[in-house]
Each structure stands twice: as C-alpha cells, then as structure tokens.
Amino acid sequence: MSLKTKSAPFFLLMILTFVFLSPICNGENCKFARKNDECNKVQGMFVFGSSLVDNGNNNFLVKSLAKANYLPYGVDFPLLEPTGRFTNGKNVIDLLGNHLKIPNYIPSFNDPSTKGSKIIHGVNFASGGSGILDDTGVVAGEVISLNQQIRNFENVTLPELEEQTKCKSKESLKNYLFVVGSGGNDYSLNYFLGLATKNITIQDFTANLTITLSHQLKRLYDMGARKFVVMALYPNGCSPMARARNPNATGCIQILNDAAQLFNTNLRTLVDSTTLQMPDSTIVIVNAYKIIMDILQNPTPYGFSDTKNPCCDVARIEEGGTGTLCKKGGSVCSDRNVNVYFDGLHPTEAVNIVLANKAFASNLIDEVYPTNVRLLSIV
C-alpha cells in the first residue's frame, strides 16, 4: 500500500477530530466564542437601568443634573478618579463582571469610544435619574429612559455587535446577561412628586410599572436575549435622603418602603408569568431589598457600623440641595467600608460587594429567585 493511501485515513481522522472538538458556539464559528467547554458561558453583560447601575452615561448629557463625574465619587475606584458611578468605588455591575471573569469594565453607551471591539463584552446603557416610564426623571433634567436605552441597544449596538462577532443576534445574545435595574425613580421622581396621572392609586401605578417592564423584557427577548437579571428595588425609605426629607421621622419612611415591597412582590409574579411567554429564557431576581435590609438591621456581622449617615458631604435641603448627591469636592469619611451609604441614596462599594456576592452565589430563594447568577451564567 502506498504512503499516500496510508495517510488518507489519518488526515480524515484529524479533520473529524477538529470539527467535533473545536469551540464552535451555536452552530457557527463566532468570533467571540470561548474555548473548549466554555461556549455556553456568558461573554458579557448588557446593562439597563438607573444610577445604581449607571457607569457614566450621564457624563455626556449636557443638561442632566444627575451626574457623579466629580470627586469624591470614584475616590476608591481603581482608576483613582470619578467615572460617573454613583459610589466611592465599584458598583454592582463592575463586581458581577469580576465574578463572571469579564476581562474589562463594561463601557458606557454614550462614551464616543464605545465602538468596535470594545462592545464585545457588553455595553452599559443605564442613566441616573431615569425610570421604567418615559416621563420619570424630568426633574433631573436630561436622562435616558429605559425605553430609549433599549432603542439604543437595538438600533446602534446590536448591528455593530453582529458585525464584530460575525453572528446573528439570535445566536450571539444567548451568551450575554441582560441586567435591568430600574423602578425606584418611578416612585421618588414621579409618583411621590405628584407627576403621575391624577388620583391614581399606588397599586394601579405599580401594576402599570410592572406591566411596562414585562413588555420591555419581551422586546429584548424578541431580539435574542435569553438570560436576564432583574434587580429588585432597594429599601429607599431607609436612605439618608428619605430621612432628611422627613426630619420628624424616627426610623425608615414606611410609605417609600411599602411602595418598593409592592413593586418587588409584583416583580416576582411578573417573572413567573413572563417566563411562560418567553420559552428558553430565565429571569433571575436579585432581592436587593432583603439583602440591604438585613445589613441595616444587623450591620455588625457584615462589618458596618453606620447605617444612617452619608459618607460624603451632601448638600442638605435647607442649603438648596436635594439631600442626594455629594457636594463637588466635599469631604468624605475616612473609612468607607463601615458606611452603608456613600451619598444620600446610593450605597458604598462595600455594600455593592455584598450585593454582588449574594447575587452571584446565594442559595437562598429569598435573596435570589429562582436561581443565582452563577448558575444562570452556565446554563
């Protein structure tokens, strides 16, 4: 038998081995595919919501009053400068990214440099002061509503992602997490300011919010999204801002917390019903309300000692401020690890670490429902 005849089966075997063992995801050799058995793990995150997950989009909105692009914001961020994150260091998105081993910080959509290969691991569309409803946040000047954030993803980022990955969105998006953290401003910057439809009850307002959110999730699903992480509302009635606006109150402002709990209850019902309408999808709720309330009620085991005061110097209402944002260049507490709140509303990086850790790995169904982010990322 000739050498050529002997070699043919060997080369055929090598070809077949390459075909069956190569890391080809979703039936195509997508540019972003990871190696070996990691093809089903998440490649990145697309983030939508408000200031709790915003990483700098409002920096580029000239008329926005909701900005964190100045010190002391970012005082503990690795770049040692303010980035637009509403905290002293990393926010919950940065920390989830660390858990998921995403190699870079998720870039903000409004940053002109967010294009080309920079979008491969996701884009952050969130805007401080925005809400689920389009008219939420008008008092904050210029903000990007959740609906507009989704349009930005669909019309700008998605076509560019298909070009970068050489994959159709229906194939590539199942490898990304879609994180949504919105709803709190719809109460604080809309309903409780009297901007909603006259005489609408809190129950009807909340029902409209969750129905609207379900439609927004469905839009993302129709584009190809399959893995969702939705942040429940925080107990904002316990924030320094809420206490400052109600100086006669001795504890948390219950009407604000009741609204958040009503939304969170509806959110769980939404997840159960919406998932049935979205085959092959999974929606994880991170119960930030319970996680933060546990810290507030029993701070010592978590390493916190101050649960009431903002770490930074906040412009008080009697000074013409809102009781929310840090003063530009103002003072800041020396040990940010013991404070729950950095400013009048937003938690410190230390709280964000607890949130991200529990979101990623908790096995308690009252903290993450129906599963955690780690398990979501590998299915």
Side-chain angles (χ1 to χ4, degrees), residues 18 109 148 164 208 247 290 333 346:
F18 179 81
F109 172 80
Q148 184 59 50
Q164 287 294 315
N208 180 47
K290 180 190 184 302
C333 62
H346 305 98

Side-chain angles (χ1 to χ4, degrees), residues 47-57 85-86 91-93 124-127 149 179-182 231 234:
V47 183
F48 308 83
S50 59
S51 56
L52 294 166
V53 294
D54 182 6
N55 68 348
N57 279 300
R85 291 163 172 81
F86 290 77
N91 64 19
V92 69
I93 298 301
N124 190 316
F125 299 85
S127 173
Q149 293 173 36
V179 185
V180 180
S182 191
M231 304 295 294
Y234 293 30

Side-chain angles (χ1 to χ4, degrees), residues 59-283:
N59 295 355
F60 303 92
L61 301 181
V62 176
K63 298 180 181 179
S64 178
L65 303 177
K67 292 184 179 181
N69 59 344
Y70 56 88
L71 290 173
Y73 291 110
V75 64
D76 297 311
F77 193 74
L79 300 180
L80 300 179
E81 63 182 22
T83 61
R85 291 163 172 81
F86 290 77
T87 186
N88 58 300
K90 295 179 181 179
N91 64 19
V92 69
I93 298 301
D94 301 318
L95 296 160
L96 277 177
N98 290 345
H99 280 298
L100 294 165
K101 295 181 171 49
I102 296 173
N104 305 305
Y105 293 114
I106 306 299
S108 57
F109 172 80
N110 277 4
D111 188 329
S113 69
T114 302
K115 56 187 176 182
S117 62
K118 287 190 69 173
I119 71 171
I120 290 293
H121 296 292
V123 175
N124 190 316
F125 299 85
S127 173
S130 69
I132 293 169
L133 304 179
D134 288 345
D135 55 353
T136 290
V138 292
V139 297
E142 189 179 4
V143 299
I144 310 166
S145 70
L146 184 53
N147 277 325
Q148 184 59 50
Q149 293 173 36
I150 294 172
R151 284 192 290 269
N152 289 342
F153 170 72
E154 181 177 21
N155 297 330
V156 180
T157 301
L158 194 53
E160 189 167 5
L161 183 70
E162 291 183 341
E163 174 61 28
Q164 287 294 315
T165 63
K166 309 304 180 187
C167 291
K168 295 295 184 182
S169 62
K170 295 286 187 180
E171 299 159 355
S172 63
L173 293 187
K174 64 181 68 174
N175 294 303
Y176 290 86
L177 291 189
F178 284 73
V179 185
V180 180
S182 191
N185 291 330
D186 292 290
Y187 292 100
S188 60
L189 299 181
N190 192 327
Y191 183 83
F192 287 117
L193 293 182
L195 302 180
T197 303
K198 190 175 181 180
N199 297 326
I200 188 172
T201 66
I202 189 71
Q203 290 79 12
D204 288 343
F205 181 81
T206 301
N208 180 47
L209 267 188
T210 49
I211 290 171
T212 303
L213 178 60
S214 70
H215 292 159
Q216 291 162 333
L217 295 178
K218 184 64 164 52
R219 285 173 57 195
L220 291 170
Y221 173 84
D222 289 341
M223 296 176 213
R226 292 297 181 268
K227 299 178 180 182
F228 298 88
V229 178
V230 180
M231 304 295 294
L233 298 193
Y234 293 30
N236 289 340
C238 299
S239 67
M241 175 192 70
R243 293 172 184 268
R245 292 179 179 179
N246 298 270
N248 296 325
T250 56
C252 299
I253 311 308
Q254 199 57 44
I255 189 172
L256 299 179
N257 282 353
D258 287 346
Q261 288 182 297
L262 179 61
F263 178 90
N264 293 342
T265 299
N266 283 22
L267 186 62
R268 182 155 171 169
T269 303
L270 174 153
V271 166
D272 291 336
S273 60
T274 302
T275 304
L276 295 175
Q277 304 167 27
M278 295 162 40
D280 300 320
S281 70
T282 303
I283 304 175

